[in-house]
Amino acid sequence: MSTQSNMIKVAVVGGEGIGPEVTTQSRRVLEWFAANRGVPMTLRDAEYGLIPYLKTGKVLPEDTAEAMDEADAILWGATGGPETTEVPAAARKAGSLLGLRSKYDLYANLRPIAASPSLSASAPLKAEVLDGVDFVIIRELTSGIYFGEPRGIETLHDGQRRGFNTEQYTTNQIRRVARAAFELARTRRGKVCSVDKANVLETSVVWREEMIALHKEEFSDVELTHLYVDNAAMQIVREPRQFDVMVTGNIFGDILSDCAAMASGSLGMLPSASLGPVDRYGRRKALYEPVHGSAPDIAGKGIANPLGSILSVAMLLRLTLNRPEDADLLEQAVQTALASGARTADIAEAGAKKLSTVEMGDAVLRALDKVSAKENA
Ligand code: IPM
Ligand code: MG
């Protein structure tokens, strides 16, 4: 075997809007780990979105597709923006993020929510509600109403238009994401809360029954509870501390994870990992991205919060590189930077100095040097 065999390939795709700005900072963090901790990886940068569309007619040009195909991990920025109008819908769709999630079968989307003690002054929820919040939403990412058929827009006989989509889940689609949730809970506080709308939707009836069946068959050591999605939204802002692992379908997970972002202070803070199936060599494709979108209103201004993307690198270190100590180190460095007062505009309390995206990247790198020096002392 070559000495390169442990090299992990990372495709860095900043994309659109604030994506490239925040990803530039998380890329610096990745390079810090390669230089200072000997993390074995190669980085390959690739373009996505309007810029390559103008050059090649494709939002996802061949070179980018190849970089992503060969990568173990994709560090993704963001997609979309006001410029979407400049890219015809069909071209958008051909290289869409949803298409990529589907192509790589990234069915398990992990969105951890942790309250940062130093952000309680600027957080929208009260400090006593946020204190100690630490849970993970696992959102099913490749099925449900996002992908269900039939779907479309039709014109009715009376001239009205009718848009329609199909919510659907099969046994296997439910069970594999349920398994991801139960397995994760075993490494944490041992609790899974499954969220559905089983009082109304057949899809949810099947969802709940499969959860219960798999739990009984393989995971009876884990505590399983169920909430209807409306109640779950309320509980997330009322008492988020009650949750350990929350598992739900695609659209409920989309909505609840934005809601849960408020329990971590700002949407700008939230990382995510989207994981595919484990192959016969024990590898699994993964895409890491901040939960926030392209934020076109602040794109190019250099004021976006890069911490969602930087914390996604911590997930990459933990889940793809299998380097839990390095992941902890990075999370600690982010908390150290915050504790020393580093704030971008979205998390700044009244009167606090607002750092630029680059300055926040600098603050995290300084904190990494400091935290690792302490560790080595
Ligand atoms: C997310 C986003 C995406 C989604 C959009 C950009 C398609 O909101 O990752 O949460 O709805 O899944
Ligand atoms: Mg969303």
Side-chain angles (χ1 to χ4, degrees), residues 111 139 146 253-255 257-258 291:
R111 300 188 162 185
R139 165 187 177 195
Y146 273 57
D254 178 46
I255 299 163
S257 58
D258 270 30
V291 173

